[in-house]
Amino acid sequence: MTATRVLVLNSGSSSVKYQLLDMRDASRLAVGLVERIGEQTSRLKHTCVTSGDTHERSGPIADHDAALKAVSEELAKDGLGLDSPELAAIGHRVVHGGMFFTEPTVIDEEVLTEIERLIPVAPLHNPANLTGIRTAMALRPDLPQVAVFDTAFHTTMPESAARYAIDTKIADRYRVRRYGFHGTSHAYVSRATAKLLGKAPEDVNVIVLHLGNGASASAVRGGVCVDTSMGLTPLEGLVMGTRSGDLDPAVIFHLQRVGGMSMDEIDTLLNKSSGLFGLCGDNDMREIRRRMDEGDEQARLAFEIYIHRLKKYIGAYYAVLGTVDAVAFTAGVGENADFVRAAAVAGLEGLGLAVDEDRNARRGDEARLISPEGARVAVAVVPTDEEMEIATQTYALVGKAA
Ligand code: AMP
């Protein structure tokens, strides 16, 4: 029997998201989530896609090991257990791969050590990703385990885009440069956009706007990323749900010297209580829309700041690319919020950008064009699928090695 299944694991500090896919036809077999690991109120939600059955379990799940064992039990109930000979590999999302990992990589001790070495630049994410990997390796030591890095797609950025204008010696010593994140999404969406246009990825220039709770933009020339809005960490760039995005670095000195805040407090402020949430107390775009409709001025201003930044990035990446074939909206906000898409391109007719009102208002799960017929630049909604991208990259690598 040929092994064609790939389990995709996205391990956070207190959660594990997973999907089991069959790469024969790129179909999803099971999806699920374990939340609040380590607490008394842990919860596992598992859906067998083929039968449509959903099971939920609540009660303490002590650690990632227990979480993965619980996932394995749920999968086994559907005849999809982790001990199945049909499982070809496990693909892990790893947030930070630095400059070292430019491609998906089969995990061995050396790879684990390098991911560990990157913890100082990804203190929240890489330790959790490593825990997930180690747990899965202990469970199936015989199986190839592949790391797919959020940063990898952006390693093609030229030095002119990747470097900050600071002392090179210091930047190199501390590995301070722009890495970019959400890379699997930008890779998937830029390719899917080319497909929607009926072209090869090499033949199109695309601006991808990944607008979720975290948000980033990228400029992709002929399938290759040439710039992206996130930097050393996912804090730089667009206004996000709770992150500030771009700001004058002197704000930090000011808050420390004049405001008496500690570095940890400023870190928390900029990452957890800024962005839309900091501006108006809500980070969900649906709620912001509802409040704007009721005439709430604070919500309106938060929205305007969000859109202003987004427009600046569209303009900047237009200039970086020179010619643009498509602007693609993706992730929770990008896929669902027609009013964000309309506002983002409003007034950009001079750049060939516009949305058709009816097309923009239409909902759906498929990639679709929302620009008017015959538009110079296509504007598209392209649902992202990071798990499918991780599974595809994992399976391609394992298939090559076999
Ligand atoms: P993500 O991080 O990609 O899961 O996106 C999550 C965000 O998408 C939420 O915080 C909401 O702001 C936004 N979102 C989800 N559904 C909608 C919707 N129907 N309309 C507007 N925004 C939405």
Side-chain angles (χ1 to χ4, degrees), residues 212-213 283-286 331-333 336-337 363:
N213 203 24
N283 59 339
D284 192 315
M285 202 47 97
R286 287 163 288 201
V333 175
N336 296 299
R363 303 189 66 81

Side-chain angles (χ1 to χ4, degrees), residues 102 159 164 167 233 323 347:
T102 57
E159 288 295 279
Y164 293 108
D167 185 321
T233 76
T323 56

Side-chain angles (χ1 to χ4, degrees), residues 146-353:
V146 174
V148 178
F149 300 92
D150 257 22
T151 45
F153 184 61
H154 305 303
T155 55
T156 49
M157 277 195 287
E159 288 295 279
S160 52
R163 284 207 175 256
Y164 293 108
I166 63 170
D167 185 321
T168 303
K169 292 187 288 305
I170 291 183
D172 288 349
R173 187 178 318 148
Y174 298 109
R175 304 204 249 184
V176 174
R177 59 188 279 121
R178 309 189 56 256
Y179 295 99
F181 298 87
H182 291 144
T184 36
S185 177
H186 287 281
Y188 177 86
V189 171
S190 57
R191 272 209 321 276
T193 306
K195 193 169 164 204
L196 181 67
L197 300 182
K199 295 194 174 163
E202 301 77 54
D203 296 332
V204 292
N205 292 350
V206 185
I207 296 172
V208 178
L209 304 170
H210 177 112
L211 310 178
N213 203 24
S216 63
S218 68
V220 183
R221 176 180 289 133
V224 174
C225 178
V226 292
D227 205 352
T228 194
S229 59
M230 285 177 167
L232 173 75
T233 76
L235 184 55
E236 190 180 341
L238 300 172
V239 175
M240 312 184 208
T242 64
R243 290 179 220 144
S244 63
D246 294 337
L247 85 171
D248 180 346
V251 170
I252 297 163
F253 319 143
H254 183 79
L255 292 176
Q256 197 258 324
R257 290 181 191 138
V258 179
M261 292 174 74
S262 70
M263 278 301 158
D264 284 345
E265 284 169 339
I266 301 171
D267 191 335
T268 304
L269 170 79
L270 298 180
N271 276 294
K272 302 262 168 67
S273 50
S274 294
L276 291 170
F277 178 78
L279 287 165
C280 74
D282 271 309
N283 59 339
D284 192 315
M285 202 47 97
R286 287 163 288 201
E287 191 54 22
I288 291 173
R289 173 66 201 243
R290 194 192 59 73
R291 285 174 54 187
M292 282 197 293
D293 288 346
E294 287 177 352
D296 184 320
E297 282 308 315
Q298 213 185 2
R300 161 74 50 196
L301 181 59
F303 181 74
E304 284 173 1
I305 295 168
Y306 181 95
I307 295 295
H308 180 75
R309 185 84 51 86
L310 193 51
K311 266 199 179 143
K312 286 214 293 197
Y313 270 93
I314 295 172
Y317 288 172
Y318 209 115
V320 165
L321 290 169
T323 56
V324 176
D325 298 285
V327 174
F329 286 89
T330 194
V333 175
E335 290 169 30
N336 296 299
D338 55 354
F339 56 99
V340 169
R341 299 190 296 256
V345 302
L348 301 186
E349 295 81 7
L351 299 178
L353 289 170

